[in-house]
Amino acid sequence: MPPVSEGLLGAALLDAILPVFVTGSWDDGMPVLWVNPAFTESTGISTDDMNRRGIHPLLTLVEDDPDREPGQASLRAGKPTERMIRGQRANGAPTWWHVSMSPIPDGDGSVRMWLGAATDVSTYVQRHAAQLASLEFERRERADLDLVAQTSELLGDLEYPYALRDIADLLRALVPWAGFYLNDDGLMFADGVDVASPPSGRGRRHTRYVPESPVLAHQGDQLGDDAAGVRASVDQVQDLLDGVVDGPVLLELDGRFPAHSASGWLRRDLVRRIVEETGVIPRSVVVHGVAGRRRVLGLVASWHGAGTAVDGLVGPDPDEIPAEPQHVFTVIEVVARRAGTAIDNARLYAREHRLAEALQRAMLPEQAEVPGLDVWTYYAPNAEHAQVGGDWYDVLQITEGTVGLVVGDVVGHDVEAAAAMGQLRSVVRSYAFELATPGVVVDRVDQLVTGMRIPRSASMVYATLRHEPDGDVWAVQYTRAGHLPPLLLRDGTVTQLADAGGSLIGFGSKPRATARAELRRGDVLLFYTDGLIERRDRSLKVGLDALIETSARITARDAAGVGEELLSRLADAPEDDVALVVVRVPDPVVDAEVQPLSPRSRRWLLPSEPASIGRARHAVLRTCQAWGLPESASAELVVSELVANGVLHGWGNIALRLFDTGDGLRIEVEDSNPAPPVTTDGHPNRLGGFGMQIVERLADWGWRPAGSGKLVWAKLRPTGA
């Protein structure tokens, strides 16, 4: 193949579409000696124009050269170099060039000239930049979604007392500072949500006054009177709370607001908190509303960095804080909306839970103290439902020596079932005090219920116990309306009282029958609902057989102990509401014996009334006797004081629980008043006030929050102590 001539090479460079140029040496200032037409077309500059730009004329075309220093070092050393530079085309359009410079040595090896070529790589640079931008956008989107997901997880457990604080900490990955304020009877900074104490309803207008801090006063002096008067008549925060604006709003913190305005209070509190945490006086914050279903529940305030450093405090340099992209505001807005929905749902659920529980407790009876009988009652709604159901019981002291017992079950686990139960309970109570025979009572209930059109079907068993004048025998009369038969326990033998059956309440087509039985000393009578024995994986008959077998093996000799054994063996995880009534005829001889195999725990639910103090004392005495505990006298004093405090200072029902710890009796009393008990030196000018001193002398004691109230416990010291 013949060699390429110099003329041919020159022609090729002249006609090349690639910009090519020849320059002098670095020491000579690299004058441009020759350029091809493609170079002039791309830059709009000829060889003469280039040389009129002085020494190193090519540098005048460069706007950005990331490898400037190493490239120039190679040129000075006479070494080849290539690098990326940014310049402009002849039409002014910015472009990126890949420039390569090759030395042209003389015969003696010295470099007098350079051959350069420039390749337009703008398309590749733009494509690469677009890919990087896409990757950055995707990374940011993933980070935002991850933040929102973590926020949703925290909002799923608002009982955690620092849920809002942790969410604010997550937001601080986007902004230097963020915090939540809830509008509960006025704005308050919030670390969490107290779902047990819903808003008072007075929090729509914020009227809490807080004196201005020294930092704010100093800031106002620096701003001057003119600046301090800016936006004084606009209460943006209150407009946001009132729903006048949807937000977010920009709250300028260098303004002055009325002392009792929401904006003024929030301004003072925000400046104080941000200064304490960051060392910077903020200029402005962005405020988003935390909206519930019907009203704005609170605010999310976010500071995006602009401010003035406080002397002696360290904070970020405002000049180094970039402008926030739109996605930051979007993420905070999404978090605020989700927080509002979650807080509203949690409070709504808590409110419905309290209302349902209050309704259920109000409809359940307060068990009467029956002379001559040991009676224990229990009710527990299914945990899967809202603490409300259709099961009920009643213990009625009809006359001296006559007791009425009722256990019933309305179909359903909702407020309608509870309402139907309340109606039936009232009807049965009315006829029980009027009529003596159970069958006749239920006949009248059938007639009235048919006219009332109660929408739910119901079953019931009603019995009367009459103390016979001679001996310790109680005559039992009963009738059943579609309900499971009561059980009679006598000397390890279980008898079903299955006579006098009939259809459900309201469906009686013929007169109800009345069956008879009798109770002797030591006998136990069980009334129960199907929640005690019903399970999804077995039939009702199998459950009834299990109840009969369990009842035959009961060792407890007190009504509460019998109930505890049944619950521990049959109702660990009930699938339905459970109502249980245990009636036992005391036997002084048998009861004096210790029950070593009896469950070592007891529980009672007592009404908040003075009569409950006596019932609690009797319960403790029976329990100490059953367990063979010697400190019954001390236990009677302690439980009397604790229950009396619950009756005097608490409200709602009082839960009494007893535990045999092995080295002493533990007494727990729970009421609905969250205020802790206080030991005093008596009440001035009146009796009383020494109750907790008595408890301190006889027991170690303490208290803790429980639900919406408190639990007070006392562990009796051994008798020798």
Side-chain angles (χ1 to χ4, degrees), residues 107-338:
D108 59 359
S110 61
V111 177
R112 298 290 183 181
M113 290 186 297
W114 292 81
L115 175 66
T119 305
D120 187 350
V121 292
S122 301
T123 302
Y124 302 102
V125 171
Q126 292 170 0
R127 187 179 301 165
H128 180 66
Q131 291 175 344
L132 291 179
S134 177
L135 291 173
E136 174 61 21
F137 179 79
E138 183 179 353
R139 183 201 63 77
R140 191 179 64 200
E141 288 288 308
R142 289 179 180 273
D144 292 346
L145 290 174
D146 182 62
L147 188 150
V148 173
Q150 293 182 63
T151 298
S152 300
E153 184 176 351
L154 289 169
L155 290 173
D157 184 17
L158 285 178
E159 292 184 358
Y160 173 56
Y162 301 109
L164 297 184
R165 183 197 64 184
D166 289 354
I167 293 173
D169 289 342
L170 291 175
L171 293 177
R172 293 182 189 186
L174 302 176
V175 294
W177 188 91
F180 279 86
Y181 289 83
L182 293 184
N183 188 27
D184 298 340
D185 195 15
L187 284 172
M188 286 293 291
F189 184 80
D191 285 327
V193 182
D194 185 4
V195 295
S197 299
S200 63
R202 303 189 301 274
R204 193 170 177 82
R205 301 298 301 181
H206 180 89
T207 57
R208 183 181 292 106
Y209 173 74
V210 176
E212 190 170 53
S213 68
V215 171
L216 280 171
H218 176 66
Q219 182 188 19
D221 293 340
Q222 290 181 329
L223 293 171
D225 295 337
D226 292 338
V230 177
R231 294 168 298 278
S233 61
V234 179
D235 193 354
Q236 297 168 288
V237 174
Q238 190 62 61
D239 288 345
L240 190 60
L241 293 174
D242 291 340
V244 176
V245 296
D246 293 333
V249 300
L250 181 66
L251 182 64
E252 299 287 353
L253 301 182
D254 56 359
R256 293 280 185 170
F257 301 93
H260 296 279
S261 67
S263 297
W265 183 90
L266 184 61
R267 167 183 175 268
R268 290 187 289 274
D269 195 70
L270 281 171
V271 170
R272 177 179 62 82
R273 292 181 183 277
I274 295 174
V275 168
E276 289 177 354
E277 294 187 34
T278 69
V280 173
I281 300 176
R283 296 174 187 166
S284 62
V285 294
V286 179
V287 183
H288 296 258
V290 178
R293 289 179 176 82
R294 298 184 179 180
R295 71 181 188 92
V296 177
L297 305 177
L299 309 169
V300 178
S302 57
W303 173 55
H304 295 248
T308 305
V310 179
D311 293 340
L313 298 178
V314 179
D317 185 353
D319 296 332
E320 297 179 358
I321 299 174
E324 294 296 339
Q326 183 61 37
H327 82 99
V328 172
F329 299 101
T330 302
V331 170
I332 297 176
E333 181 69 21
V334 170
V335 170
R337 290 180 180 178
R338 293 198 174 196

Side-chain angles (χ1 to χ4, degrees), residues 49-87:
D49 294 333
M50 289 294 298
N51 289 327
R52 283 195 289 268
R53 298 192 175 207
I55 62 173
H56 297 286
L58 289 174
L59 296 181
T60 62
L61 301 178
V62 178
E63 294 184 357
D64 187 12
D65 185 0
D67 300 321
R68 185 187 191 98
E69 293 300 329
Q72 292 183 2
S74 297
L75 291 174
R76 285 192 293 267
K79 297 179 180 179
T81 179
E82 57 179 346
R83 58 187 190 271
M84 296 279 293
I85 63 172
R86 187 179 67 186

